[in-house]
Amino acid sequence: SLLQLKLWNKYRVSNIPSLIFIDASTGKVVCRNGLLVIRDDPEGLEFPWGPKPFSEVVAGPLLRNNGQTLDSSTLEGSHVGVYFSAHWCPPCRSLTRVLVESYRKIKEAGQKFEILFVSADRSEDSFKQYFSEMPWVAVPYADEARRSRLNRLYGIQGIPTLIVLDPKGDVITRQGRVEVLNDIECREFPWHPKPVLELTDSNAVQLNEGPCLVLFVDSEDDGESEAAKQLIQPIAEKIIAKYKAKEEEA
């Protein structure tokens, strides 16, 4: 029915089964990843399963690949890329190669930036092998509960996923993978979402994120695509601002 379709679209359900918890008084989504919640917290000890701040979920020791440990509080005051990845996944390995270069460029430019690797490897050995290529920090592989809580916090449905956070721990973009691959020189860091995007292979993933307006122009004439952008940019900005004021996703 139409109502069912509206609900699927409203909550961006792309695979089933899917369990989403909502605050009945406000209608806001409390948790997108209900199935993981129930698996991890069968006793309901963490009910009502609302989103916790990043600093609380990540709290604990972090590793460097030389065996050094440091406290998660060292991430405070930096932009953070939360990187969900695994060695068995070929797209993850190719993103890691690019990300190592991007990380170096951003640090060399004097930006406060750290990446946190959250492993989905199938063994401690493959985690260690993969992490040895990474110049950043990781959640210890043995701390499965914390890795799972981070997956839950961001509703991770597939890897590789790179979530970019501002220094307060709020999400700037969930599309870090696309941003890194589109911006090899890291000129746009920390990759605040643009109201209007050019539709490319890598940006097409955004079409699954919610309602989209697609404007077709004659790309042979560069002036025309720029004029079209000028036309829809203010409209897009107004819509985004409206939803931001309501603290909802546009």
Side-chain angles (χ1 to χ4, degrees):
S1 76
L2 189 61
L3 177 63
Q4 285 172 318
L5 193 60
K6 276 185 171 171
L7 286 169
W8 278 69
N9 288 338
K10 179 175 172 66
Y11 298 116
R12 301 204 307 274
V13 175
S14 56
N15 49 5
I16 53 172
S18 199
L19 178 61
I20 295 167
F21 295 118
I22 294 157
D23 179 335
S25 58
T26 62
K28 285 192 176 163
V29 172
V30 174
C31 169
R32 289 194 173 281
N33 245 5
L35 294 171
L36 274 182
V37 166
I38 286 174
R39 191 197 72 191
D40 287 356
D41 184 21
E43 305 288 310
L45 301 176
E46 293 177 37
F47 182 83
W49 302 307
K52 295 185 166 68
F54 169 70
S55 57
E56 189 181 317
V57 177
V58 78
L62 302 176
L63 296 177
R64 289 209 179 276
N65 63 17
N66 60 5
Q68 180 196 358
T69 60
L70 53 161
D71 189 74
S72 58
S73 60
T74 56
L75 300 175
E76 285 166 21
S78 295
H79 284 86
V80 177
V82 190
Y83 183 37
F84 298 86
S85 188
H87 191 261
W88 52 261
C89 149
C92 291
R93 292 200 299 274
S94 55
L95 179 61
T96 297
R97 285 192 288 275
V98 177
L99 199 51
V100 167
E101 289 307 308
S102 302
Y103 177 76
R104 196 168 289 134
K105 282 175 189 154
I106 293 165
K107 301 280 268 193
E108 279 170 6
Q111 300 265 18
K112 292 191 78 178
F113 181 50
E114 196 47 75
I115 293 177
L116 174 67
F117 172 40
V118 183
S119 167
D121 288 293
R122 291 174 176 151
S123 71
E124 175 104 36
D125 283 346
S126 86
F127 160 76
K128 279 184 176 148
Q129 182 195 342
Y130 193 28
F131 187 40
S132 70
E133 303 162 22
M134 301 180 186
W136 45 75
V137 297
V139 176
Y141 185 80
D143 194 343
E144 204 174 322
R146 193 160 30 137
R147 289 191 290 125
S148 184
R149 281 199 299 273
L150 285 159
N151 272 281
R152 253 167 49 198
L153 179 62
Y154 299 115
I156 301 303
Q157 306 216 332
I159 54 171
T161 294
L162 178 67
I163 310 248
V164 182
L165 309 179
D166 69 14
K168 295 204 302 273
D170 295 328
V171 174
I172 293 177
T173 179
R174 300 178 58 88
Q175 301 294 339
R177 175 193 186 180
V178 174
E179 297 291 356
V180 163
L181 296 175
N182 277 350
D183 181 25
I184 294 298
E185 292 305 314
C186 307
R187 292 201 178 97
E188 307 277 331
F189 176 83
W191 304 300
H192 287 279
K194 295 187 188 71
V196 180
L197 292 171
E198 201 167 303
L199 188 56
T200 60
D201 281 0
S202 54
N203 283 333
V205 63
Q206 308 271 46
L207 295 171
N208 299 324
E209 291 291 303
C212 293
L213 171 71
V214 183
L215 179 61
F216 293 88
V217 293
D218 184 356
S219 60
E220 297 300 308
D221 169 14
D222 276 340
E224 191 172 329
S225 58
E226 193 46 48
K229 192 176 172 182
Q230 300 296 332
L231 176 72
I232 56 177
Q233 181 96 10
I235 300 168
E237 284 173 356
K238 197 188 274 182
I239 291 169
I240 287 167
K242 185 181 102 177
Y243 279 91
K244 199 166 188 169
K246 291 200 283 189
E247 292 185 5
E248 286 178 15
E249 288 183 53

